[in-house]
Amino acid sequence: MLALFHLSPVLLVTVMLVLLRRPPVHAAVAGTLLVIVLWLAGAADAWRLSSMVAAAQDTVVLFASTAFVIVPGLLFVIFIERMGVNLALSQWVRSLGLGRGDQVVLIVLGFVPLLEAMTGFGVSLIATVPLLLSLFERRVALRIALAGMAIMPWGTLGLASVIGASLVNLDAPMLASTSALTSAPVFFALSAFALYLAGVRDSRGWGALGVFWLLFVGVLYSASRWLGPEVAGVAAGLVTAAAVLSVGLWRLRRYDSERSRWLRALAR
């Protein structure tokens, strides 16, 4: 009961966001006001110097750890937007002649996990939503973006694996690799949902999803086991995106060679 009393600000924010559907700013203000009330009431010996110092230290560490992730991620996104990378990337992806299924897999199992694992906290949406909007209808693009971000391999989960393993005295790579296997059905379900949203119904698109999903999970498991959870998501997203792009380039090259052969034959 005492634990619930101390967690009441967190529970209040959760209720306001999930049940009452209030804006995040309103929920944050309400949670902060409840903390102040509890503090003034002397809950949990808040006025003791040791408690105040511990709370200040925890706040600084939490704020710094979050800022060190979000700020570089936002700077990276701002940099690529000013350089026109999003526009160039979308034009390049369209020029490869990838099918809708391959485009979805490239983003949902490639770009989004890669950026989310590098930055976390939903920063990947800022970078990938413009790309999705250039490829799909607005409503479909936004839903695919949310499905891709929900996969979120080892952006926040990598940090959680390391901290959780230290709290219960487990091996972090072992915990992360086990989590990769148990999360595999979630990755497939979200990718399949994104593929369905994109209107992909042909067997080739779904077969490609299965192959790239296996590649994604395999790299995520292997990297978690032998490289560590900190870089596992980056490796999985990078390898999957590279594989999809390689297939697209190979198809484009084969198409160009076949077209050149037919043109030479007609010239004769």
Side-chain angles (χ1 to χ4, degrees), residues 49-64:
L49 181 60
S50 59
S51 299
M52 296 176 66
V53 171
Q57 290 176 342
D58 292 343
T59 301
V60 170
V61 171
L62 180 61
F63 178 82

Side-chain angles (χ1 to χ4, degrees), residues 117-165:
M118 291 172 60
T119 60
F121 300 97
V123 175
S124 62
L125 285 178
I126 304 174
T128 55
V129 165
L131 175 60
L132 284 166
L133 289 174
S134 68
L135 298 173
F136 302 100
E137 187 266 331
R138 178 180 177 82
R139 180 181 300 179
V140 173
L142 295 178
R143 291 177 178 178
I144 292 176
L146 290 176
M149 196 202 70
I151 291 178
M152 195 185 64
W154 282 227
T156 305
L157 291 180
L159 178 62
S161 298
V162 174
I163 295 177

Side-chain angles (χ1 to χ4, degrees), residues 2-264:
L2 185 61
L4 290 177
F5 179 73
H6 291 159
L7 288 173
S8 57
V10 178
L11 296 176
L12 175 61
V13 172
T14 304
V15 169
M16 291 188 67
L17 290 175
V18 178
L19 298 180
L20 302 180
R21 304 291 181 90
R22 303 302 301 170
V25 175
H26 295 177
V29 170
T32 303
L33 291 176
L34 181 56
V35 169
I36 293 175
V37 171
L38 295 176
W39 196 328
L40 293 175
D45 298 323
W47 292 108
R48 290 178 55 184
L49 181 60
S50 59
S51 299
M52 296 176 66
V53 171
Q57 290 176 342
D58 292 343
T59 301
V60 170
V61 171
L62 180 61
F63 178 82
S65 60
T66 305
F68 282 140
V69 174
I70 293 180
V71 173
L74 289 175
L75 291 177
F76 172 74
V77 170
I78 293 172
F79 175 76
I80 63 175
E81 284 184 348
R82 290 187 175 180
M83 294 290 293
V85 174
N86 283 337
L87 179 60
L89 183 60
S90 62
Q91 292 175 347
W92 183 57
V93 170
R94 286 197 299 267
S95 68
L96 292 177
L98 295 174
R100 292 177 69 86
D102 293 333
Q103 292 175 354
V104 171
V105 173
L106 174 64
I107 297 172
V108 172
L109 289 180
F111 291 154
V112 173
L114 171 63
L115 292 174
E116 189 64 23
M118 291 172 60
T119 60
F121 300 97
V123 175
S124 62
L125 285 178
I126 304 174
T128 55
V129 165
L131 175 60
L132 284 166
L133 289 174
S134 68
L135 298 173
F136 302 100
E137 187 266 331
R138 178 180 177 82
R139 180 181 300 179
V140 173
L142 295 178
R143 291 177 178 178
I144 292 176
L146 290 176
M149 196 202 70
I151 291 178
M152 195 185 64
W154 282 227
T156 305
L157 291 180
L159 178 62
S161 298
V162 174
I163 295 177
S166 65
L167 291 176
V168 295
N169 296 319
L170 290 178
D171 181 58
M174 182 64 70
L175 177 61
S177 58
T178 303
S179 299
L181 293 180
T182 56
S183 302
V186 178
F187 301 153
F188 181 80
L190 290 172
S191 303
F193 178 65
L195 209 65
Y196 177 81
L197 289 175
V200 178
R201 302 294 185 267
D202 59 287
S203 59
R204 194 200 67 79
W206 288 91
L209 170 63
V211 172
F212 290 120
W213 167 72
L214 289 175
L215 174 65
F216 179 84
V217 174
V219 174
L220 187 62
Y221 172 84
S222 302
S224 299
R225 186 72 180 272
W226 290 291
L227 298 179
E230 299 87 349
V231 298
V234 177
L238 183 62
V239 171
T240 305
V244 177
L245 291 174
S246 298
V247 171
L249 289 172
W250 175 76
R251 289 174 181 167
L252 182 63
R253 188 174 303 171
R254 187 180 66 175
Y255 171 77
D256 288 341
S257 63
E258 290 179 353
R259 185 176 61 178
S260 299
R261 188 171 64 251
W262 279 105
L263 289 176
R264 288 196 299 267

